[in-house]
């Protein structure tokens, strides 16, 4: 491979500097920052959610110290035991203009800054999408042993393809290869909202979803927005859901309490807890997060009993309408499994989300790179071996 593909002209590089949390937040809320569609994992408040990590904020642009930025990042640093070195993680970041082909102008300075800060390797999560599958296409493609990768995508995003090529040319490795190997979900489910009315959204639901929403209403299910005091009830239902559906998020009640407090201190209403009650009992509880015109359904939980009254369907319908009323461009229902086999236990989650009529989006996922230096490469190999044995 020609070195011309990976060598940047440093005279053209964009200045990059550490910035304060306040400067970082002002950029994200500016017109320029909002246009880059930052996710909630790049909010300044997320640094308070992640225990065991040190947080740093960096920005690049015409005058980073003066707040004239064109991109920025929340960097989380985790110390490698027994060393003074750190693993650098930019969850679903950096907040950058990935359409700019001159990626080396800011990516090069970012990597050198992290190396100088004691990082031996870095993981990033570029924002562009890679492939999309419509709900109709995936419903028709289900079958024994089938997976998303077996189905021709409805759309392949040229920007995602270009960014992936640029990263590979610069020595980055996609975590997990072609399978999910990321800390954040690679395959997410999104329901487009732009230009759609509530009637349009209702028409987009399949018959089963509409029937279940009506059943919940007839049964007397009531939906309300709760508060911090309701988080223990949410967590109790989450543990029941994990046991029933065969997964374990590994998060504590304190984690959700910390998240709820930090995100809402940053902006009131950024994180909401929706509750579905039947005869006064909370049967389902889901969390929703908003940043600008982006809205996510983050985590859902429900009881094992009285499932016939369909509380989660009505809960999601209310959340979907609220997202539309907030002016969100899309309702992101977060991760889905890559299996299309109806006999696989995880497929039930995908089937439930497909009923809303949205689409599965494969993001670029997360990418890793050891930083320059033989010692850093050796530490990275040791780190990879440690992760493989966990």
């Amino acid at each position: 491979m020609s070195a011309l593909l990976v060598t940047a002209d440093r005279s053209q590089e964009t200045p990059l500097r550490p910035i304060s949390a306040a400067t970082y937040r002002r950029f994200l809320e500016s017109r320029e920052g909002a246009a880059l569609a930052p996710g909630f994992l790049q909010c300044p408040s997320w640094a308070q959610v992640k225990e065991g990590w040190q947080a740093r904020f960096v920005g690049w642009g015409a005058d980073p110290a003066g707040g004239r930025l064109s991109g920025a990042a929340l960097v989380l640093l985790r110390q490698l035991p027994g060393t003074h070195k750190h693993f650098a993680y930019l969850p679903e970041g950096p907040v950058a203009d990935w359409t700019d082909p001159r990626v080396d102008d800011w990516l090069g300075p970012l990597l050198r800054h992290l190396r100088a800060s004691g990082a031996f390797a870095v993981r990033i999560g570029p924002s562009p999408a890679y492939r999309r599958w419509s709900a109709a296409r995936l419903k028709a493609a289900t079958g024994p042993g089938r997976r998303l990768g077996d189905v021709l995508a409805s759309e392949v995003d040229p920007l995602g393809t270009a960014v992936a090529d640029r990263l590979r040319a610069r020595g980055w490795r996609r975590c997990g290869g072609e399978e999910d190997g990321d800390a954040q979900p690679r395959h997410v489910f999104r329901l487009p909202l732009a230009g759609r009315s509530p009637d349009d959204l209702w028409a987009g639901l399949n018959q089963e979803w509409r029937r279940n929403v009506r059943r919940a209403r007839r049964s007397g299910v009531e939906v309300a927005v709760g508060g911090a005091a309701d988080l223990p009830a949410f967590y109790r239902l989450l543990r029941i859901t994990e046991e029933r559906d065969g997964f374990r998020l590994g998060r504590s009640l304190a984690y959700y309490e910390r998240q709820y407090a930090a995100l809402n201190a940053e902006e009131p209403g950024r994180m909401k807890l929706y509750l579905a009650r039947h005869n006064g009992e909370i049967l389902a509880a889901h969390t929703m997060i908003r940043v600008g015109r982006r809205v996510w359904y983050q985590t859902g939980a429900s009881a094992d009993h009285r499932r016939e009254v369909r509380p989660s369907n009505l809960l999601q319908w209310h959340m979907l309408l609220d997202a539309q009323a907030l002016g969100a461009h899309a309702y992101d229902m977060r991760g889905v499994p890559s299996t299309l086999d109806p006999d696989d236990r995880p497929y039930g989650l995908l089937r439930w989300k497909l009923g809303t009529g949205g689409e599965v989006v494969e993001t670029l996922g997360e990418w890793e790179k050891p930083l320059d230096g033989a010692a850093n490469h050796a530490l990275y190999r040791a780190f990879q071996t440690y992760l493989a044995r966990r």
Side-chain angles (χ1 to χ4, degrees):
M1 182 181 294
S2 170
L4 293 176
L5 290 175
V6 298
T7 302
D9 179 359
R10 292 193 181 184
S11 66
Q12 301 297 318
E13 289 181 343
T14 305
L16 181 143
R17 300 286 186 276
I19 58 176
S20 68
T23 299
Y24 180 75
R25 181 179 175 182
R26 283 195 296 270
F27 171 69
L28 296 188
E29 295 174 347
S30 70
R31 183 178 64 182
E32 294 80 8
L36 300 176
F40 67 90
L41 297 175
Q42 280 290 300
C43 283
S45 56
W46 199 252
Q48 303 170 46
V49 177
K50 301 298 290 179
E51 285 191 325
W53 297 79
Q54 302 174 35
R56 301 286 186 273
F57 301 101
V58 296
W60 53 90
D63 180 14
R68 295 172 59 196
L69 301 171
S70 55
L74 162 63
V75 181
L76 299 176
L77 299 171
R78 186 133 199 177
Q79 188 171 355
L80 186 65
T83 75
H84 296 292
K85 291 287 191 172
H86 294 81
F87 180 74
Y89 180 37
L90 285 65
E92 297 191 0
V95 181
D97 180 10
W98 291 99
T99 66
D100 185 354
R102 299 174 61 90
V103 65
D104 291 310
D105 289 355
W106 57 267
L107 190 54
L110 174 62
L111 296 182
R112 289 198 300 277
H113 172 79
L114 293 175
R115 184 175 183 272
S117 300
F120 67 89
V122 59
R123 176 184 286 203
I124 62 174
S127 59
Y130 180 42
R131 294 184 290 183
R132 304 173 190 270
W133 294 265
S134 68
R137 176 163 294 192
L138 292 181
K139 287 176 185 177
T142 58
R146 300 298 301 277
R147 302 186 69 81
L148 279 172
D150 299 327
V151 183
L152 185 66
S154 304
E155 177 185 347
V156 177
D157 193 311
L159 175 59
T161 303
V163 170
D165 288 343
R166 290 168 188 162
L167 291 175
R168 288 192 188 96
R170 288 156 178 82
W172 291 83
R173 181 184 65 85
R174 195 181 192 192
C175 298
E178 295 307 311
E179 292 295 324
D180 293 323
D182 313 288
Q184 306 303 325
R186 182 183 299 182
H187 297 100
V188 298
F189 195 87
R190 291 177 185 162
L191 188 61
L193 300 181
R196 303 179 71 188
S197 68
D199 287 343
D200 295 330
L201 298 178
W202 179 257
L205 302 180
N206 68 15
Q207 290 184 355
E208 182 180 7
W209 260 82
R210 294 197 295 268
R211 183 170 60 250
N212 287 341
V213 170
R214 292 190 186 104
R215 179 179 299 168
R217 286 170 172 164
R218 288 196 306 268
S219 300
V221 175
E222 298 177 340
V223 173
V225 176
D230 298 300
L231 286 170
F234 157 75
Y235 188 70
R236 177 180 58 81
L237 292 176
L238 180 60
R239 296 302 301 272
I240 292 171
T241 303
E242 290 176 337
E243 180 68 24
R244 180 181 67 238
D245 294 344
F247 68 92
R248 186 78 172 92
L249 293 176
R251 296 169 183 156
S252 65
L253 172 59
Y255 173 91
Y256 290 102
E257 291 174 332
R258 190 166 61 248
Q259 182 189 89
Y260 188 88
L263 269 62
N264 287 321
E266 182 173 74
E267 181 177 315
R270 169 148 289 168
M271 180 176 179
K272 292 182 178 180
L273 176 62
Y274 284 75
L275 308 171
R277 289 186 174 90
H278 185 253
N279 294 336
E281 181 184 3
I282 299 174
L283 293 183
H286 297 178
T287 59
M288 187 172 88
I289 299 176
R290 173 177 57 86
V291 178
R293 289 184 175 270
R294 299 187 68 186
V295 170
W296 297 261
Y297 154 48
Q298 187 198 19
T299 306
S302 60
D304 279 342
H305 61 288
R306 278 188 263 172
R307 295 175 63 80
E308 72 279 359
V309 302
R310 303 301 181 184
S312 292
N313 292 89
L314 185 59
L315 197 57
Q316 280 296 308
W317 176 242
H318 277 263
M319 293 169 68
L320 182 56
L321 290 179
D322 283 357
Q324 192 264 348
L326 288 169
H329 295 312
Y331 184 60
D332 192 321
M333 301 181 79
R334 294 294 279 168
V336 292
S338 56
T339 180
L340 296 176
D341 188 336
D343 291 331
D344 285 348
R345 197 178 197 182
Y347 174 77
L349 177 63
L350 174 60
R351 179 181 179 277
W352 188 70
K353 293 181 180 182
L354 287 173
T356 64
E359 61 184 7
V360 171
V361 178
E362 181 183 9
T363 68
L364 280 183
E366 296 184 327
W367 297 68
E368 282 185 355
K369 179 182 175 70
L371 297 179
D372 290 343
N376 287 334
H377 280 254
L379 283 174
Y380 181 66
R381 289 193 297 271
F383 181 66
Q384 292 298 105
T385 300
Y386 163 76
L387 290 180
R389 290 175 176 171
R390 291 180 61 184

